[in-house]
Structure formats: C-alpha cells, structure tokens
Amino acid sequence: MTALKLENVNKSFGPVHVLKDINLTVEEGEFVVFVGPSGCGKSTLLRVIAGLEDASSGTVQIGDDIVNDVPPAKRGIAMVFQSYALYPHLTVKGNMGLGLKQEGQPKSVIEERVDKASKMLDLDDYLTRRPAELSGGQRQRVAIGRAIVRDPKLFLFDEPLSNLDAALRMNTRVEIAALHRTLSASMIYVTHDQIEAMTLADKIVVLRDGRIEQIGSPMELYNNPANRFVAGFLGSPSMNFLVRSVPGVAPGQTIGIRPEYLGLRADGQIAGQVTHVERLGGDTNLLVRTEQGETLTVRLFGQNDTQVGADVRLGFDPQMAFYFDETDHRVLPKAA
Amino acid sequence: MSTLRKPAGTTIAAHAILITYTLIALFPVFVILINSFKTRRAIFREPLALPNADSFSLIGYQTVFNQGDFFLYFQNSMIVTVVSLTLILLFGAMAAFALAEYGFRGNTLMGLYLALGIMIPIRIGTVAILEMMVSTGLVNTLTALILVYTAQGLPLAVFILSEFMRGVSDDLKNAGRIDGLSEYQIFFRLVLPLVRPAMATVAVFNMIPIWNDLWFPLILAPAEEVKTLTLGSQVFIGQFVTDWNAVLSALSMAILPVMILYVIFSRQLIRGITSGAVK
Ligand SMILES: Nc1ncnc2c1ncn2[C@@H]1O[C@H](COP(=O)(O)OP(=O)(O)OP(=O)(O)O)[C@@H](O)[C@H]1O
Ligand SMILES: [Mg+2]
C-alpha cells in the first residue's frame, strides 16, 4: 500500500512558481528524504503534503484518500519543525497531549500514549517542565514525542536537527533511525545535510528549483547519478568536474570523478600542484591545481605526508568516472 | 536578565539622569498630593510645604464627598475606561491577527486604511459624531463614550499589534493547526499570550488619555448620571472662584485607579518596549 502519492503537484505564490509538476510515491514504512539547495522548495512541498499550504494544482493522496480538501489535523500526519515550535505555555506533557485532546480522546488514552512516547524518548523526568526549561536537544525530543503521540500514518520532519550541535545531531539521528525501525511508520524528512540523507533514507528525492531531479536509494544516486547536479550534490567532498585536465575527454563533455576515486600515482593522467592540505586524521584531503588551471579535490584514506607545493600526478579508474554533456545530462564517454 | 559589566562612571551617570527625571516627573503629583491635605490658606501661603498639625485639613475630601455624586463619577470613568480598553484590545488584536496572518486581497490597503486613523485626530469629527449620537439616541449614555474611545484607540492598537504578531513564529501556528486547533484557538491560546507585552503597551497608551479626557464627556455625555470623574471635578473650578481643596482632592483620588492599572500592566509594558533589544 502507498502511504503518500503526489500527482502533478504545482504550487505558486502569486507569480512565483515554486513547485513544478511533482510526482512522487512513498510506500508504507518507507523513509524518504528530500534534499536540495536552500530555496528549492523542500519546505513548501512538505507544507503542501501537511495541508498547511494548498496545492495550486495536482492531487495529494495520503493512504487511500485524496486529501486536497482535508484540513491538516485530519490528514493523519504529524510534523516536526526545525524551530521545535513547542507551545511555550504548556508543559511537556501538555505539549504532547494537545493533539489528542483536540481530537477528543479520553484522558486515559492520552495518559497512556504520552507515557509510552516519553519512555521511548527518555522524557519521563521532564514531563512537568515547560519548554523554556529544557535544552535544545530535549526540546527536539519533545517535538518528536508530540508527533509520535498522535500515531500518524505519515511523519513529516523539516530539518529537525539543524539547530543542534554536531554531537547531539549524530545521537538524535541514530534515535530517529531507531524510531523508524520501532514504529515502522512512513516518514518524510527534509534536510540539506547529506550525511543525514545518506544514512537515514530508504529513498532520496533530490530537488532543484522546485523540480524533482532524481529519486532513488542513496547508493543508486551515489553510483548512478542521472545528471551533473545530482552527482555534485551527493558525496562529500563533492565530485570534481573537469573539462580540460583529463586527456581523451571529448569537447563539450565534462568528466566527473569523485575525490575518493583519485589517487597519487606516478603514471597518473593528471598533473598538478598541491595548493592546500586538510589532515582529518582518518582522511587527508588535497586540493590540487592542475597544469590546465582546474582545481580538484583528492581524498586519500589514512594519513599522508604530501606537502603544500608538491608536484603530483593523479590517476583514476576509468570505470569510476562519469561523463556529462553540455546540458549536464549523464552520457557515455565519446571518443575524442 | 543578564547583568552587563559597565564602567562605574557610566552607571552613576545613568542613574543620576534617571533619578533626576523621575523627580521632575513626580514633582507635580507630589505637590497635588500634599496640598490636597492642607487648608486653603496653607495652600496659597506655602504651596511646597508638607501638611503639619496647623495646616492639615481634610476639607477638600469632605467637599468632594458631599458635593456631587463622586462615587458615581468614579464608577462611570471606570466603566468607560475598562470597557473601552477591553474592546480596543480585543478588536485591535483580532484585526491585527487577520492582517498579519492571512494574505487576502487588499491586505496592505486595509492595513494602510486602519493606520490612517493614527494621523487624523478623532476630534476633527466631533460635530459629525455628535449628530450621529443624537440620531441614534446615544447622547448622554456611557455607550457613546465607549464607542468613541474604542474608535480612537483602534488604529494605533492594530498598527502595534500587527507588527508584533508578524513576529510570532509561523511554525508554532502551523504546529497548532496540525494538532487540530481552530484559527480562533490559535489566536486566543497561542498568539495572544505571546504578544501580551504589546497588549500591555497598547493598554497603557490608551488608558491615560481615556481616563483624563474632558472633551467627549462634556459634549456627548454631560448629564449628571453619566458624568465621568474628570468632568465631575469641573464643578469645583468656577469662572471666578475655584475650590482648590476640592480640585486637588478629586485629582489625588483620580490618580489612584490609573496607578493601579499601570502597576498591573507595567511589568508587561517594560518587556514589550525592550523585547526587540533584549532577546
Ligand atoms: N509564503 C510565500 N510567499 C512567497 N514565496 C514563498 C513563500 N514561501 C516560500 N516561498 C518561496 O518558495 C521558495 C522555496 O521555499 P522553501 O521554504 O520551500 O525552500 P527550502 O527548500 O525549504 O529552503 P531551505 O533549505 O532554506 O529551508 C523560495 O524561493 C521562497 O522564497
Ligand atoms: Mg526549508
């Protein structure tokens, strides 16, 4: 069964066309991540699904029902916001229980579900506190708890971790993954952190300028990007795109090589000079300026004592290179 | 609030300026208060002296209580002020919410139209207002005053409150919508509590002019049973003789309720004024 189905969804704010012909299916229990640069319409798409904005055209189907005219509270969804959006005057318990109270659920049911969610999220000690008396991480857990309590068919997360520090972000990421396993609910998750996207997603949706560029599992997108945008967007450091430096690339084509597939080799095809070195302990990143004047990144595993200014030759396995035409679409290599 | 470490000299200077200003501002109030407890002769001989055994007298207060129905005036003023403030805050906040939250056609125009009232004094329309009140039979009722004051206060209220309401996080309102709150519940339960400081600011700005107004009571409601306190006190000010004891006593008592309301609002007020700066 499908949890969500979008058909030809468009959204305009006055003259601004923000979402363009979005078609997407989310299967039950799937974890789908929307990624894309800032302003590409991720939040808007999420808000259309939630019913906080009306689609200008197209249909939104949640479960078996077309919900275009159904108010947010009745769509069977729950949303977690980047800014937490907790009710400042209610306690943690009040925050989590409000949705059920509005539905008219009996007190015992509310108690029971709040209790269950707070156990799951380790919030038992904070139930009587107000949001102002909690740390950022605790607030985010309350916001997630508020979503769980409603027992929705579909969870919507809008960059839930972007206000947390790095360590906490990692912990919460793991918690969300665990939550997805326990609840086996369908989730849609917006982020522009690609580590979150790669680690959490069953399916990644890459958006650009309000259009879906590609949909696929993380490894599919990594190994088989449909175009230059997707290739450059996923992977960190991002893919090198070279026009001149590699011999044998046809005019008009661009070759893309991921930094991890480049290596220092005496017989390498690319010659250049190291301009900067980043030593991360586990990895070493070299910035190399080629003789043809292009800059590329090389990711070496482990530690490496190459110095800035060194002349190097770089090689790669041709199997691991991607080729793009003038319109940035993926193509097979053309002989020069 | 965190305490910022500042050079001692700056702190002292700041305090000196603030204390001086406080003294200057409170001085007239102080003079009114002490003189209201003195005999007429003492008021004129030494206006700045404190009342002593010789000059102490409650004659002013006695006059006020014996002449005219002081409590009725007091009650009228109170009703007019409290009801007007309530209506200004309620309707002002509702209009402000609509302007801030919903992008309907003509939103900007409506906002400008409502703000126009800030620049045009309502007294220009006195004659028209009087005619309207006569034809609707509202002359000499408190309703007339309440309507006029509400109209007078709304423009500024809408203007200030809509600015504040734009600042309330969209996510919070959307979270409420997803949890099934109606737009009214979002307004009353989520937004209003968050703009309370702004509401207090609006309340204080409106309260004092309404309480002190002489113009509209004199024109719209001069009858004995609907007189306000300010108008009622005028009986002691004659063209040739003024009963200063009574005037000062009436004024002293008129200050009290305003002070009480002010104390209620002031904590919120300070938060409202500084909310942009301290966050
Ligand atoms: N209410 C609105 N009125 C007009 N334009 C809007 C409105 N909301 C969003 N937009 C526009 O729609 C586009 C997409 O916005 P959206 O918030 O969906 O981006 P996003 O992908 O979530 O970006 P970010 O990663 O920065 O959160 C932006 O160009 C924005 O200016
Ligand atoms: Mg966004």
Side-chain angles (χ1 to χ4, degrees), chain A residues 13 16 18 36-45 53 158-159 192:
Chain A
F13 292 106
V16 193
V18 178
S38 190
C40 69
K42 305 180 295 288
S43 302
T44 309
L45 182 53
E53 303 275 4
D158 193 353
E159 307 198 25
H192 44 222

Side-chain angles (χ1 to χ4, degrees), chain B residues 55-71:
Chain B
S55 62
F56 182 81
S57 151
L58 286 175
I59 179 77
Y61 290 91
Q62 278 160 5
T63 323
V64 172
F65 284 119
N66 293 337
Q67 205 172 44
D69 199 342
F70 191 77
F71 276 111

Side-chain angles (χ1 to χ4, degrees), chain A residues 34-179:
Chain A
F34 294 173
V35 293
S38 190
C40 69
K42 305 180 295 288
S43 302
T44 309
L45 182 53
L46 211 59
R47 290 152 53 86
V48 167
I49 296 170
L52 298 169
E53 303 275 4
D54 289 326
S56 307
S57 67
T59 54
V60 180
Q61 181 184 337
I62 294 177
D64 294 326
D65 313 309
I66 305 274
V67 293
N68 283 45
D69 298 321
V70 178
K74 301 226 159 71
R75 289 192 175 193
I77 49 118
M79 190 155 170
V80 178
F81 297 88
Q82 176 177 355
S83 61
Y84 319 132
L86 299 178
Y87 310 120
H89 57 294
L90 294 182
T91 60
V92 168
K93 199 169 174 174
N95 264 284
M96 297 211 277
L98 185 68
L100 294 179
K101 211 162 126 194
Q102 290 299 120
E103 275 175 22
Q105 298 279 5
K107 262 212 164 75
S108 57
V109 174
I110 302 180
E111 285 279 330
E112 186 190 325
R113 292 220 218 148
V114 169
D115 202 51
K116 200 169 135 211
S118 85
K119 286 234 161 51
M120 221 182 277
L121 293 162
D122 262 337
L123 286 170
D124 282 341
D125 296 342
Y126 311 108
L127 283 179
T128 54
R129 293 209 199 163
R130 280 172 209 281
E133 301 157 347
L134 298 174
S135 74
Q138 290 161 347
R139 281 181 214 180
Q140 193 52 278
R141 290 218 298 280
V142 176
I144 294 172
R146 183 170 64 180
I148 294 177
V149 163
R150 305 192 63 219
D151 196 12
K153 285 186 264 183
L154 183 61
F155 281 87
L156 305 173
F157 295 90
D158 193 353
E159 307 198 25
L161 308 186
S162 55
N163 285 349
L164 304 180
D165 66 49
L168 203 52
R169 199 183 290 190
M170 156 121 191
N171 287 340
T172 318
R173 195 170 75 216
V174 173
E175 257 175 60
I176 290 179
L179 203 66

Side-chain angles (χ1 to χ4, degrees), chain A:
Chain A
M1 203 179 94
T2 56
L4 170 78
K5 193 163 179 194
L6 301 177
E7 275 179 350
N8 296 318
V9 169
N10 282 277
K11 173 72 192 172
S12 307
F13 292 106
V16 193
H17 199 175
V18 178
L19 296 178
K20 297 156 193 162
D21 286 322
I22 303 286
N23 286 290
L24 175 70
T25 309
V26 176
E27 301 299 333
E28 198 152 81
E30 213 171 17
F31 199 118
V32 175
V33 173
F34 294 173
V35 293
S38 190
C40 69
K42 305 180 295 288
S43 302
T44 309
L45 182 53
L46 211 59
R47 290 152 53 86
V48 167
I49 296 170
L52 298 169
E53 303 275 4
D54 289 326
S56 307
S57 67
T59 54
V60 180
Q61 181 184 337
I62 294 177
D64 294 326
D65 313 309
I66 305 274
V67 293
N68 283 45
D69 298 321
V70 178
K74 301 226 159 71
R75 289 192 175 193
I77 49 118
M79 190 155 170
V80 178
F81 297 88
Q82 176 177 355
S83 61
Y84 319 132
L86 299 178
Y87 310 120
H89 57 294
L90 294 182
T91 60
V92 168
K93 199 169 174 174
N95 264 284
M96 297 211 277
L98 185 68
L100 294 179
K101 211 162 126 194
Q102 290 299 120
E103 275 175 22
Q105 298 279 5
K107 262 212 164 75
S108 57
V109 174
I110 302 180
E111 285 279 330
E112 186 190 325
R113 292 220 218 148
V114 169
D115 202 51
K116 200 169 135 211
S118 85
K119 286 234 161 51
M120 221 182 277
L121 293 162
D122 262 337
L123 286 170
D124 282 341
D125 296 342
Y126 311 108
L127 283 179
T128 54
R129 293 209 199 163
R130 280 172 209 281
E133 301 157 347
L134 298 174
S135 74
Q138 290 161 347
R139 281 181 214 180
Q140 193 52 278
R141 290 218 298 280
V142 176
I144 294 172
R146 183 170 64 180
I148 294 177
V149 163
R150 305 192 63 219
D151 196 12
K153 285 186 264 183
L154 183 61
F155 281 87
L156 305 173
F157 295 90
D158 193 353
E159 307 198 25
L161 308 186
S162 55
N163 285 349
L164 304 180
D165 66 49
L168 203 52
R169 199 183 290 190
M170 156 121 191
N171 287 340
T172 318
R173 195 170 75 216
V174 173
E175 257 175 60
I176 290 179
L179 203 66
H180 178 234
R181 276 193 298 274
T182 0
L183 298 173
S184 54
S186 320
M187 297 186 172
I188 297 182
Y189 188 104
V190 168
T191 180
H192 44 222
D193 180 317
Q194 52 165 307
I195 299 187
E196 280 170 30
M198 300 299 267
T199 54
L200 288 172
D202 295 321
K203 189 154 101 183
I204 294 182
V205 177
V206 183
L207 288 157
R208 176 166 62 156
D209 285 343
R211 247 181 245 288
I212 293 183
E213 292 282 319
Q214 194 175 358
I215 302 178
S217 74
M219 286 313 119
E220 246 169 75
L221 296 194
Y222 180 86
N223 292 329
N224 206 3
N227 55 43
R228 180 171 165 168
F229 176 77
V230 176
F233 197 80
L234 294 176
S236 164
S238 58
M239 189 182 279
N240 298 299
F241 295 104
L242 302 172
V243 182
R244 300 186 297 273
S245 306
V246 182
V249 175
Q253 283 196 354
T254 305
I255 184 172
I257 313 163
R258 295 203 181 272
E260 47 271 39
Y261 295 139
L262 281 167
L264 298 174
R265 284 187 215 150
D267 62 344
Q269 306 99 303
I270 308 170
Q273 193 177 41
V274 177
T275 57
H276 184 71
V277 181
E278 289 179 333
R279 297 179 204 285
L280 303 173
D283 289 345
T284 308
N285 293 334
L286 308 182
L287 286 187
V288 176
R289 192 171 171 77
T290 64
E291 281 173 353
Q292 289 77 9
E294 291 175 310
T295 302
L296 47 74
T297 316
V298 184
R299 181 168 169 212
L300 303 172
F301 297 94
Q303 303 183 1
N304 191 292
D305 55 8
T306 309
Q307 295 300 319
V308 173
D311 287 317
V312 291
R313 291 196 78 83
L314 301 169
F316 62 94
D317 176 357
Q319 302 269 304
M320 292 301 182
F322 302 101
Y323 295 85
F324 304 95
D325 65 12
E326 289 98 334
T327 56
D328 289 342
H329 286 94
R330 178 89 180 280
V331 290
L332 291 172
K334 259 194 300 200

Side-chain angles (χ1 to χ4, degrees), chain A residues 47 83 87 89 102 150, chain B residues 171-172 174 178-179 185 189:
Chain A
R47 290 152 53 86
S83 61
Y87 310 120
H89 57 294
Q102 290 299 120
R150 305 192 63 219
Chain B
D171 284 356
L172 187 67
N174 285 336
I178 288 177
D179 271 342
Q185 287 171 316
R189 290 171 58 181

